[in-house]
Amino acid sequence: MSDPMSDPMTGFDAIIARDQRVEPRDEMPDAYRATLIRQIAQHAHSEIIGMQPEGYWITRAPSLRRKAILLAKVQDEAGHGLYLYAAAETLGADRDDLTDALMSGRQKYSSIFNYPSLTFADVGVIGWLVDGAAICNQVPLCRTSYGPYARAMIRICKEESFHQRQGYELLMTMMRGTGSQREMVQDAVDRWWWPALMMFGPPDGESPNSARSMAWKIKRHTNDELRQRFVDMSVPQADALGVALPDPELRWNAERGRHDFGEIDWAEFRRVVGGDGPCNAERVAVRRAAHEDGAWVREAAAAHAAKSAGRAA
Ligand SMILES: [Fe+2]
Ligand SMILES: [Fe+2]
């Protein structure tokens, strides 16, 4: 413990300056709380909506082994959503309100999940590139300044790393298969590469809240820095796999010691984030139907809890 007489900084500012964690009982600025609720909720929504493009393939998996792996992976994503909604609740957010915000479009989820998964190779590419990009984004969040969020991210990152490996292993297997399997993999890479780069958000110059999030140590690196890391990490993985990344401008820059890459289609990014992607309406409709179908479970659980509480009293 520091001596308040010798160190004038106390409370929230001191926790941030000393790189400690802010806990639910601590006082915090309203804007810090609101920023975190929004970020954690959008992250939770992304985990839940992200179950859909791969969940579609559970009943269509080519073998029992692939089905079991995919089922476990999609179930993990539901768990991630649960840890994150629970972390948002420690900030005073209401779970029903968050669910409603997702279903009504008041809050967003990662735009990557508005693209369709057309073949089983997409399952592998989602694991490799989408979970891979998520790892780049999320590993620094294990040190984010809000304690419950940081602790949730530690477990999530361990599971994401399994997800990425299973995706890569599936692609390796397909690349050792027939010519048409290799074509399926290349086609999936062509469709997912650019949307994966968009997962890091707008360029730094157009990311107005970034600086404040960095000052609060919610964020540790800028969007462009994380995107660059992801590109540098993916290039040798693509080489090992034997696929081409669909960017004619992608090349090693010896001076920078990093890869240069082409310009992202930001108009497409804005269009998909704005609701006009290939699957936006379907994703929200499926989520809403699942919520309505689950109403009897919530009612039964609430009735059971009330009965148990009555008995205990
Ligand atoms: Fe996840
Ligand atoms: Fe994942």
Side-chain angles (χ1 to χ4, degrees), residues 21-63:
R21 298 289 162 267
V22 178
E23 295 298 336
R25 62 173 181 273
D26 294 325
E27 281 191 40
M28 60 189 92
D30 290 343
Y32 176 84
R33 185 186 298 276
T35 297
L36 271 168
I37 289 177
R38 197 188 60 237
Q39 180 173 335
I40 297 172
Q42 288 184 2
H43 192 163
H45 301 330
S46 302
E47 301 284 356
I48 297 299
I49 295 288
M51 295 168 73
Q52 291 185 35
E54 289 179 288
Y56 174 83
W57 286 98
I58 291 173
T59 54
R60 297 164 173 85
S63 68

mmCIF file of all heavy atoms in Angstrom, residues 21-63:
data_model
loop_
_atom_site.group_PDB
_atom_site.id
_atom_site.type_symbol
_atom_site.label_atom_id
_atom_site.label_comp_id
_atom_site.label_asym_id
_atom_site.label_seq_id
_atom_site.Cartn_x
_atom_site.Cartn_y
_atom_site.Cartn_z
ATOM 1 N N ARG A 21 -5.318 -3.461 -11.453
ATOM 2 C CA ARG A 21 -6.627 -3.725 -12.050
ATOM 3 C C ARG A 21 -7.731 -2.971 -11.310
ATOM 4 O O ARG A 21 -7.739 -2.937 -10.075
ATOM 5 C CB ARG A 21 -6.955 -5.222 -11.991
ATOM 6 C CG ARG A 21 -5.994 -6.106 -12.756
ATOM 7 C CD ARG A 21 -6.148 -5.960 -14.270
ATOM 8 N NE ARG A 21 -4.964 -6.469 -14.944
ATOM 9 C CZ ARG A 21 -3.909 -5.728 -15.295
ATOM 10 N NH1 ARG A 21 -3.888 -4.433 -15.059
ATOM 11 N NH2 ARG A 21 -2.871 -6.261 -15.880
ATOM 12 N N VAL A 22 -8.652 -2.424 -12.080
ATOM 13 C CA VAL A 22 -9.852 -1.804 -11.515
ATOM 14 C C VAL A 22 -10.841 -2.935 -11.238
ATOM 15 O O VAL A 22 -11.060 -3.789 -12.102
ATOM 16 C CB VAL A 22 -10.470 -0.802 -12.515
ATOM 17 C CG1 VAL A 22 -11.748 -0.178 -11.951
ATOM 18 C CG2 VAL A 22 -9.452 0.279 -12.888
ATOM 19 N N GLU A 23 -11.396 -2.973 -10.029
ATOM 20 C CA GLU A 23 -12.348 -4.036 -9.671
ATOM 21 C C GLU A 23 -13.757 -3.433 -9.531
ATOM 22 O O GLU A 23 -13.903 -2.217 -9.359
ATOM 23 C CB GLU A 23 -11.906 -4.722 -8.375
ATOM 24 C CG GLU A 23 -10.581 -5.483 -8.497
ATOM 25 C CD GLU A 23 -10.600 -6.643 -9.504
ATOM 26 O OE1 GLU A 23 -11.702 -7.179 -9.791
ATOM 27 O OE2 GLU A 23 -9.513 -6.988 -10.030
ATOM 28 N N PRO A 24 -14.806 -4.293 -9.567
ATOM 29 C CA PRO A 24 -16.177 -3.769 -9.547
ATOM 30 C C PRO A 24 -16.467 -2.822 -8.374
ATOM 31 O O PRO A 24 -17.247 -1.891 -8.516
ATOM 32 C CB PRO A 24 -17.030 -5.035 -9.433
ATOM 33 C CG PRO A 24 -16.195 -6.107 -10.048
ATOM 34 C CD PRO A 24 -14.767 -5.752 -9.748
ATOM 35 N N ARG A 25 -15.837 -3.040 -7.220
ATOM 36 C CA ARG A 25 -16.112 -2.194 -6.047
ATOM 37 C C ARG A 25 -15.453 -0.821 -6.139
ATOM 38 O O ARG A 25 -15.807 0.087 -5.384
ATOM 39 C CB ARG A 25 -15.621 -2.907 -4.776
ATOM 40 C CG ARG A 25 -14.129 -3.135 -4.813
ATOM 41 C CD ARG A 25 -13.513 -3.688 -3.532
ATOM 42 N NE ARG A 25 -12.083 -3.807 -3.746
ATOM 43 C CZ ARG A 25 -11.470 -4.881 -4.283
ATOM 44 N NH1 ARG A 25 -12.180 -5.927 -4.632
ATOM 45 N NH2 ARG A 25 -10.167 -4.890 -4.471
ATOM 46 N N ASP A 26 -14.476 -0.666 -7.026
ATOM 47 C CA ASP A 26 -13.730 0.593 -7.112
ATOM 48 C C ASP A 26 -14.558 1.679 -7.781
ATOM 49 O O ASP A 26 -15.376 1.404 -8.647
ATOM 50 C CB ASP A 26 -12.438 0.402 -7.924
ATOM 51 C CG ASP A 26 -11.452 -0.523 -7.229
ATOM 52 O OD1 ASP A 26 -11.387 -0.482 -5.978
ATOM 53 O OD2 ASP A 26 -10.761 -1.289 -7.927
ATOM 54 N N GLU A 27 -14.293 2.910 -7.373
ATOM 55 C CA GLU A 27 -14.909 4.021 -8.093
ATOM 56 C C GLU A 27 -14.235 4.163 -9.446
ATOM 57 O O GLU A 27 -13.030 3.934 -9.572
ATOM 58 C CB GLU A 27 -14.735 5.308 -7.293
ATOM 59 C CG GLU A 27 -15.749 5.375 -6.155
ATOM 60 C CD GLU A 27 -15.782 6.744 -5.510
ATOM 61 O OE1 GLU A 27 -15.691 7.742 -6.245
ATOM 62 O OE2 GLU A 27 -15.887 6.789 -4.274
ATOM 63 N N MET A 28 -15.011 4.524 -10.440
ATOM 64 C CA MET A 28 -14.449 4.705 -11.785
ATOM 65 C C MET A 28 -15.268 5.780 -12.506
ATOM 66 O O MET A 28 -16.447 5.965 -12.206
ATOM 67 C CB MET A 28 -14.473 3.382 -12.555
ATOM 68 C CG MET A 28 -15.843 2.790 -12.740
ATOM 69 S SD MET A 28 -15.818 1.098 -13.423
ATOM 70 C CE MET A 28 -15.809 0.095 -11.928
ATOM 71 N N PRO A 29 -14.637 6.481 -13.447
ATOM 72 C CA PRO A 29 -15.394 7.507 -14.191
ATOM 73 C C PRO A 29 -16.559 6.866 -14.957
ATOM 74 O O PRO A 29 -16.435 5.734 -15.437
ATOM 75 C CB PRO A 29 -14.361 8.072 -15.176
ATOM 76 C CG PRO A 29 -13.027 7.664 -14.653
ATOM 77 C CD PRO A 29 -13.221 6.403 -13.872
ATOM 78 N N ASP A 30 -17.663 7.590 -15.055
ATOM 79 C CA ASP A 30 -18.831 7.066 -15.771
ATOM 80 C C ASP A 30 -18.488 6.673 -17.207
ATOM 81 O O ASP A 30 -18.983 5.670 -17.724
ATOM 82 C CB ASP A 30 -19.958 8.113 -15.806
ATOM 83 C CG ASP A 30 -20.557 8.319 -14.420
ATOM 84 O OD1 ASP A 30 -20.337 7.449 -13.540
ATOM 85 O OD2 ASP A 30 -21.234 9.349 -14.213
ATOM 86 N N ALA A 31 -17.631 7.482 -17.839
ATOM 87 C CA ALA A 31 -17.298 7.207 -19.246
ATOM 88 C C ALA A 31 -16.476 5.915 -19.371
ATOM 89 O O ALA A 31 -16.600 5.187 -20.352
ATOM 90 C CB ALA A 31 -16.535 8.381 -19.853
ATOM 91 N N TYR A 32 -15.629 5.641 -18.373
ATOM 92 C CA TYR A 32 -14.853 4.390 -18.362
ATOM 93 C C TYR A 32 -15.813 3.205 -18.267
ATOM 94 O O TYR A 32 -15.726 2.242 -19.029
ATOM 95 C CB TYR A 32 -13.890 4.414 -17.179
ATOM 96 C CG TYR A 32 -13.076 3.148 -16.956
ATOM 97 C CD1 TYR A 32 -11.885 2.918 -17.655
ATOM 98 C CD2 TYR A 32 -13.475 2.192 -16.022
ATOM 99 C CE1 TYR A 32 -11.125 1.774 -17.432
ATOM 100 C CE2 TYR A 32 -12.722 1.054 -15.795
ATOM 101 C CZ TYR A 32 -11.539 0.839 -16.500
ATOM 102 O OH TYR A 32 -10.802 -0.303 -16.273
ATOM 103 N N ARG A 33 -16.772 3.319 -17.348
ATOM 104 C CA ARG A 33 -17.758 2.252 -17.162
ATOM 105 C C ARG A 33 -18.573 2.039 -18.450
ATOM 106 O O ARG A 33 -18.737 0.910 -18.919
ATOM 107 C CB ARG A 33 -18.691 2.610 -15.992
ATOM 108 C CG ARG A 33 -19.692 1.522 -15.613
ATOM 109 C CD ARG A 33 -20.682 2.017 -14.548
ATOM 110 N NE ARG A 33 -20.039 2.386 -13.293
ATOM 111 C CZ ARG A 33 -19.736 1.513 -12.322
ATOM 112 N NH1 ARG A 33 -20.042 0.245 -12.446
ATOM 113 N NH2 ARG A 33 -19.145 1.933 -11.219
ATOM 114 N N ALA A 34 -19.031 3.139 -19.038
ATOM 115 C CA ALA A 34 -19.875 3.037 -20.240
ATOM 116 C C ALA A 34 -19.089 2.454 -21.419
ATOM 117 O O ALA A 34 -19.601 1.629 -22.172
ATOM 118 C CB ALA A 34 -20.431 4.410 -20.608
ATOM 119 N N THR A 35 -17.824 2.878 -21.543
ATOM 120 C CA THR A 35 -16.981 2.354 -22.634
ATOM 121 C C THR A 35 -16.796 0.853 -22.485
ATOM 122 O O THR A 35 -16.908 0.092 -23.448
ATOM 123 C CB THR A 35 -15.597 3.052 -22.607
ATOM 124 O OG1 THR A 35 -15.802 4.442 -22.846
ATOM 125 C CG2 THR A 35 -14.666 2.499 -23.656
ATOM 126 N N LEU A 36 -16.522 0.428 -21.250
ATOM 127 C CA LEU A 36 -16.308 -1.005 -21.016
ATOM 128 C C LEU A 36 -17.572 -1.814 -21.243
ATOM 129 O O LEU A 36 -17.522 -2.887 -21.842
ATOM 130 C CB LEU A 36 -15.828 -1.220 -19.581
ATOM 131 C CG LEU A 36 -14.323 -1.166 -19.401
ATOM 132 C CD1 LEU A 36 -14.007 -1.106 -17.918
ATOM 133 C CD2 LEU A 36 -13.634 -2.374 -20.030
ATOM 134 N N ILE A 37 -18.708 -1.310 -20.769
ATOM 135 C CA ILE A 37 -19.957 -2.056 -20.976
ATOM 136 C C ILE A 37 -20.182 -2.239 -22.471
ATOM 137 O O ILE A 37 -20.496 -3.330 -22.940
ATOM 138 C CB ILE A 37 -21.165 -1.346 -20.311
ATOM 139 C CG1 ILE A 37 -21.054 -1.452 -18.790
ATOM 140 C CG2 ILE A 37 -22.486 -1.960 -20.803
ATOM 141 C CD1 ILE A 37 -22.156 -0.720 -18.024
ATOM 142 N N ARG A 38 -19.972 -1.153 -23.248
ATOM 143 C CA ARG A 38 -20.187 -1.258 -24.690
ATOM 144 C C ARG A 38 -19.216 -2.252 -25.324
ATOM 145 O O ARG A 38 -19.604 -3.134 -26.079
ATOM 146 C CB ARG A 38 -20.052 0.126 -25.344
ATOM 147 C CG ARG A 38 -20.667 0.170 -26.752
ATOM 148 C CD ARG A 38 -20.363 1.473 -27.478
ATOM 149 N NE ARG A 38 -18.933 1.655 -27.623
ATOM 150 C CZ ARG A 38 -18.258 2.705 -27.176
ATOM 151 N NH1 ARG A 38 -18.876 3.688 -26.568
ATOM 152 N NH2 ARG A 38 -16.951 2.796 -27.331
ATOM 153 N N GLN A 39 -17.944 -2.149 -24.956
ATOM 154 C CA GLN A 39 -16.941 -3.025 -25.566
ATOM 155 C C GLN A 39 -17.169 -4.487 -25.182
ATOM 156 O O GLN A 39 -17.118 -5.384 -26.022
ATOM 157 C CB GLN A 39 -15.530 -2.575 -25.158
ATOM 158 C CG GLN A 39 -14.459 -3.475 -25.772
ATOM 159 C CD GLN A 39 -13.042 -2.979 -25.527
ATOM 160 O OE1 GLN A 39 -12.815 -1.793 -25.324
ATOM 161 N NE2 GLN A 39 -12.082 -3.891 -25.557
ATOM 162 N N ILE A 40 -17.408 -4.743 -23.893
ATOM 163 C CA ILE A 40 -17.584 -6.129 -23.438
ATOM 164 C C ILE A 40 -18.867 -6.716 -24.034
ATOM 165 O O ILE A 40 -18.900 -7.877 -24.454
ATOM 166 C CB ILE A 40 -17.587 -6.213 -21.894
ATOM 167 C CG1 ILE A 40 -16.229 -5.751 -21.336
ATOM 168 C CG2 ILE A 40 -17.893 -7.638 -21.429
ATOM 169 C CD1 ILE A 40 -16.190 -5.624 -19.815
ATOM 170 N N ALA A 41 -19.935 -5.901 -24.087
ATOM 171 C CA ALA A 41 -21.196 -6.401 -24.649
ATOM 172 C C ALA A 41 -21.018 -6.735 -26.132
ATOM 173 O O ALA A 41 -21.451 -7.795 -26.589
ATOM 174 C CB ALA A 41 -22.304 -5.364 -24.470
ATOM 175 N N GLN A 42 -20.346 -5.859 -26.871
ATOM 176 C CA GLN A 42 -20.146 -6.143 -28.300
ATOM 177 C C GLN A 42 -19.288 -7.379 -28.487
ATOM 178 O O GLN A 42 -19.498 -8.168 -29.412
ATOM 179 C CB GLN A 42 -19.487 -4.942 -28.992
ATOM 180 C CG GLN A 42 -20.475 -3.789 -29.122
ATOM 181 C CD GLN A 42 -19.901 -2.613 -29.888
ATOM 182 O OE1 GLN A 42 -18.776 -2.644 -30.361
ATOM 183 N NE2 GLN A 42 -20.688 -1.565 -30.006
ATOM 184 N N HIS A 43 -18.351 -7.555 -27.591
ATOM 185 C CA HIS A 43 -17.504 -8.746 -27.640
ATOM 186 C C HIS A 43 -18.357 -9.999 -27.354
ATOM 187 O O HIS A 43 -18.275 -10.999 -28.077
ATOM 188 C CB HIS A 43 -16.387 -8.571 -26.604
ATOM 189 C CG HIS A 43 -15.281 -9.557 -26.721
ATOM 190 N ND1 HIS A 43 -14.062 -9.375 -26.138
ATOM 191 C CD2 HIS A 43 -15.227 -10.755 -27.332
ATOM 192 C CE1 HIS A 43 -13.295 -10.420 -26.406
ATOM 193 N NE2 HIS A 43 -13.974 -11.276 -27.124
ATOM 194 N N ALA A 44 -19.210 -9.920 -26.333
ATOM 195 C CA ALA A 44 -20.091 -11.055 -25.992
ATOM 196 C C ALA A 44 -21.022 -11.369 -27.165
ATOM 197 O O ALA A 44 -21.181 -12.533 -27.558
ATOM 198 C CB ALA A 44 -20.904 -10.736 -24.737
ATOM 199 N N HIS A 45 -21.628 -10.330 -27.743
ATOM 200 C CA HIS A 45 -22.526 -10.547 -28.886
ATOM 201 C C HIS A 45 -21.784 -11.247 -30.038
ATOM 202 O O HIS A 45 -22.340 -12.103 -30.709
ATOM 203 C CB HIS A 45 -23.072 -9.214 -29.425
ATOM 204 C CG HIS A 45 -23.846 -8.386 -28.430
ATOM 205 N ND1 HIS A 45 -24.565 -8.942 -27.390
ATOM 206 C CD2 HIS A 45 -24.022 -7.037 -28.320
ATOM 207 C CE1 HIS A 45 -25.146 -7.971 -26.700
ATOM 208 N NE2 HIS A 45 -24.827 -6.812 -27.237
ATOM 209 N N SER A 46 -20.533 -10.854 -30.253
ATOM 210 C CA SER A 46 -19.754 -11.439 -31.347
ATOM 211 C C SER A 46 -19.536 -12.932 -31.119
ATOM 212 O O SER A 46 -19.574 -13.726 -32.059
ATOM 213 C CB SER A 46 -18.393 -10.744 -31.477
ATOM 214 O OG SER A 46 -18.573 -9.357 -31.694
ATOM 215 N N GLU A 47 -19.267 -13.306 -29.869
ATOM 216 C CA GLU A 47 -19.082 -14.734 -29.557
ATOM 217 C C GLU A 47 -20.361 -15.512 -29.873
ATOM 218 O O GLU A 47 -20.313 -16.604 -30.445
ATOM 219 C CB GLU A 47 -18.733 -14.922 -28.077
ATOM 220 C CG GLU A 47 -17.469 -14.193 -27.611
ATOM 221 C CD GLU A 47 -16.176 -14.873 -28.047
ATOM 222 O OE1 GLU A 47 -16.227 -15.960 -28.660
ATOM 223 O OE2 GLU A 47 -15.101 -14.300 -27.785
ATOM 224 N N ILE A 48 -21.500 -14.945 -29.513
ATOM 225 C CA ILE A 48 -22.780 -15.647 -29.677
ATOM 226 C C ILE A 48 -23.202 -15.691 -31.148
ATOM 227 O O ILE A 48 -23.567 -16.746 -31.674
ATOM 228 C CB ILE A 48 -23.868 -14.961 -28.808
ATOM 229 C CG1 ILE A 48 -23.506 -15.053 -27.313
ATOM 230 C CG2 ILE A 48 -25.245 -15.556 -29.076
ATOM 231 C CD1 ILE A 48 -23.389 -16.460 -26.774
ATOM 232 N N ILE A 49 -23.123 -14.560 -31.831
ATOM 233 C CA ILE A 49 -23.473 -14.547 -33.262
ATOM 234 C C ILE A 49 -22.455 -15.388 -34.047
ATOM 235 O O ILE A 49 -22.796 -16.054 -35.024
ATOM 236 C CB ILE A 49 -23.521 -13.102 -33.812
ATOM 237 C CG1 ILE A 49 -24.666 -12.318 -33.138
ATOM 238 C CG2 ILE A 49 -23.676 -13.096 -35.331
ATOM 239 C CD1 ILE A 49 -26.068 -12.710 -33.561
ATOM 240 N N GLY A 50 -21.206 -15.380 -33.568
ATOM 241 C CA GLY A 50 -20.145 -16.140 -34.235
ATOM 242 C C GLY A 50 -20.375 -17.643 -34.223
ATOM 243 O O GLY A 50 -19.717 -18.385 -34.961
ATOM 244 N N MET A 51 -21.306 -18.113 -33.400
ATOM 245 C CA MET A 51 -21.631 -19.547 -33.402
ATOM 246 C C MET A 51 -22.354 -19.938 -34.698
ATOM 247 O O MET A 51 -22.338 -21.105 -35.088
ATOM 248 C CB MET A 51 -22.541 -19.883 -32.216
ATOM 249 C CG MET A 51 -21.877 -19.695 -30.855
ATOM 250 S SD MET A 51 -23.090 -19.756 -29.522
ATOM 251 C CE MET A 51 -23.470 -21.522 -29.511
ATOM 252 N N GLN A 52 -22.985 -18.976 -35.364
ATOM 253 C CA GLN A 52 -23.861 -19.331 -36.483
ATOM 254 C C GLN A 52 -23.154 -19.822 -37.761
ATOM 255 O O GLN A 52 -23.530 -20.877 -38.280
ATOM 256 C CB GLN A 52 -24.799 -18.169 -36.817
ATOM 257 C CG GLN A 52 -25.831 -17.922 -35.721
ATOM 258 C CD GLN A 52 -26.838 -16.843 -36.129
ATOM 259 O OE1 GLN A 52 -27.205 -16.731 -37.280
ATOM 260 N NE2 GLN A 52 -27.264 -16.048 -35.174
ATOM 261 N N PRO A 53 -22.154 -19.074 -38.278
ATOM 262 C CA PRO A 53 -21.572 -19.549 -39.534
ATOM 263 C C PRO A 53 -20.980 -20.948 -39.419
ATOM 264 O O PRO A 53 -21.032 -21.727 -40.371
ATOM 265 C CB PRO A 53 -20.488 -18.511 -39.861
ATOM 266 C CG PRO A 53 -20.495 -17.505 -38.772
ATOM 267 C CD PRO A 53 -21.644 -17.762 -37.869
ATOM 268 N N GLU A 54 -20.431 -21.300 -38.274
ATOM 269 C CA GLU A 54 -19.879 -22.645 -38.120
ATOM 270 C C GLU A 54 -20.925 -23.641 -37.644
ATOM 271 O O GLU A 54 -20.889 -24.812 -38.019
ATOM 272 C CB GLU A 54 -18.713 -22.607 -37.142
ATOM 273 C CG GLU A 54 -17.515 -21.909 -37.736
ATOM 274 C CD GLU A 54 -16.405 -21.857 -36.740
ATOM 275 O OE1 GLU A 54 -16.517 -21.088 -35.763
ATOM 276 O OE2 GLU A 54 -15.446 -22.606 -36.916
ATOM 277 N N GLY A 55 -21.860 -23.172 -36.815
ATOM 278 C CA GLY A 55 -22.911 -24.058 -36.305
ATOM 279 C C GLY A 55 -23.684 -24.712 -37.448
ATOM 280 O O GLY A 55 -24.087 -25.873 -37.361
ATOM 281 N N TYR A 56 -23.819 -23.964 -38.543
ATOM 282 C CA TYR A 56 -24.489 -24.466 -39.744
ATOM 283 C C TYR A 56 -23.879 -25.790 -40.210
ATOM 284 O O TYR A 56 -24.566 -26.644 -40.754
ATOM 285 C CB TYR A 56 -24.358 -23.395 -40.831
ATOM 286 C CG TYR A 56 -24.874 -23.800 -42.189
ATOM 287 C CD1 TYR A 56 -26.231 -23.707 -42.499
ATOM 288 C CD2 TYR A 56 -23.993 -24.280 -43.171
ATOM 289 C CE1 TYR A 56 -26.702 -24.080 -43.755
ATOM 290 C CE2 TYR A 56 -24.457 -24.655 -44.426
ATOM 291 C CZ TYR A 56 -25.809 -24.562 -44.713
ATOM 292 O OH TYR A 56 -26.264 -24.929 -45.946
ATOM 293 N N TRP A 57 -22.571 -25.960 -39.997
ATOM 294 C CA TRP A 57 -21.865 -27.135 -40.524
ATOM 295 C C TRP A 57 -21.842 -28.321 -39.560
ATOM 296 O O TRP A 57 -21.356 -29.397 -39.926
ATOM 297 C CB TRP A 57 -20.435 -26.747 -40.952
ATOM 298 C CG TRP A 57 -20.468 -25.976 -42.231
ATOM 299 C CD1 TRP A 57 -20.415 -24.610 -42.387
ATOM 300 C CD2 TRP A 57 -20.632 -26.500 -43.550
ATOM 301 N NE1 TRP A 57 -20.548 -24.271 -43.705
ATOM 302 C CE2 TRP A 57 -20.677 -25.413 -44.441
ATOM 303 C CE3 TRP A 57 -20.761 -27.804 -44.060
ATOM 304 C CZ2 TRP A 57 -20.835 -25.587 -45.818
ATOM 305 C CZ3 TRP A 57 -20.921 -27.957 -45.431
ATOM 306 C CH2 TRP A 57 -20.958 -26.857 -46.293
ATOM 307 N N ILE A 58 -22.374 -28.165 -38.359
ATOM 308 C CA ILE A 58 -22.311 -29.287 -37.400
ATOM 309 C C ILE A 58 -23.040 -30.508 -37.962
ATOM 310 O O ILE A 58 -22.526 -31.624 -37.920
ATOM 311 C CB ILE A 58 -22.882 -28.875 -36.024
ATOM 312 C CG1 ILE A 58 -21.949 -27.853 -35.353
ATOM 313 C CG2 ILE A 58 -23.046 -30.102 -35.111
ATOM 314 C CD1 ILE A 58 -22.498 -27.241 -34.072
ATOM 315 N N THR A 59 -24.230 -30.296 -38.512
ATOM 316 C CA THR A 59 -24.995 -31.437 -39.043
ATOM 317 C C THR A 59 -24.483 -31.881 -40.406
ATOM 318 O O THR A 59 -24.962 -32.864 -40.964
ATOM 319 C CB THR A 59 -26.486 -31.064 -39.193
ATOM 320 O OG1 THR A 59 -26.574 -29.873 -39.992
ATOM 321 C CG2 THR A 59 -27.133 -30.828 -37.836
ATOM 322 N N ARG A 60 -23.529 -31.148 -40.969
ATOM 323 C CA ARG A 60 -23.044 -31.470 -42.313
ATOM 324 C C ARG A 60 -21.571 -31.859 -42.307
ATOM 325 O O ARG A 60 -20.957 -31.981 -43.371
ATOM 326 C CB ARG A 60 -23.231 -30.239 -43.213
ATOM 327 C CG ARG A 60 -24.693 -29.843 -43.385
ATOM 328 C CD ARG A 60 -24.804 -28.423 -43.939
ATOM 329 N NE ARG A 60 -26.183 -28.067 -44.265
ATOM 330 C CZ ARG A 60 -27.053 -27.580 -43.376
ATOM 331 N NH1 ARG A 60 -26.695 -27.388 -42.114
ATOM 332 N NH2 ARG A 60 -28.289 -27.297 -43.743
ATOM 333 N N ALA A 61 -20.991 -32.046 -41.124
ATOM 334 C CA ALA A 61 -19.566 -32.360 -41.022
ATOM 335 C C ALA A 61 -19.285 -33.691 -41.715
ATOM 336 O O ALA A 61 -20.115 -34.600 -41.683
ATOM 337 C CB ALA A 61 -19.150 -32.413 -39.559
ATOM 338 N N PRO A 62 -18.102 -33.813 -42.362
ATOM 339 C CA PRO A 62 -17.828 -35.004 -43.172
ATOM 340 C C PRO A 62 -17.505 -36.265 -42.368
ATOM 341 O O PRO A 62 -17.475 -37.347 -42.938
ATOM 342 C CB PRO A 62 -16.624 -34.585 -44.028
ATOM 343 C CG PRO A 62 -15.965 -33.492 -43.260
ATOM 344 C CD PRO A 62 -17.049 -32.786 -42.513
ATOM 345 N N SER A 63 -17.238 -36.154 -41.069
ATOM 346 C CA SER A 63 -16.955 -37.363 -40.286
ATOM 347 C C SER A 63 -17.367 -37.107 -38.835
ATOM 348 O O SER A 63 -17.554 -35.955 -38.424
ATOM 349 C CB SER A 63 -15.461 -37.710 -40.331
ATOM 350 O OG SER A 63 -14.722 -36.729 -39.626
#
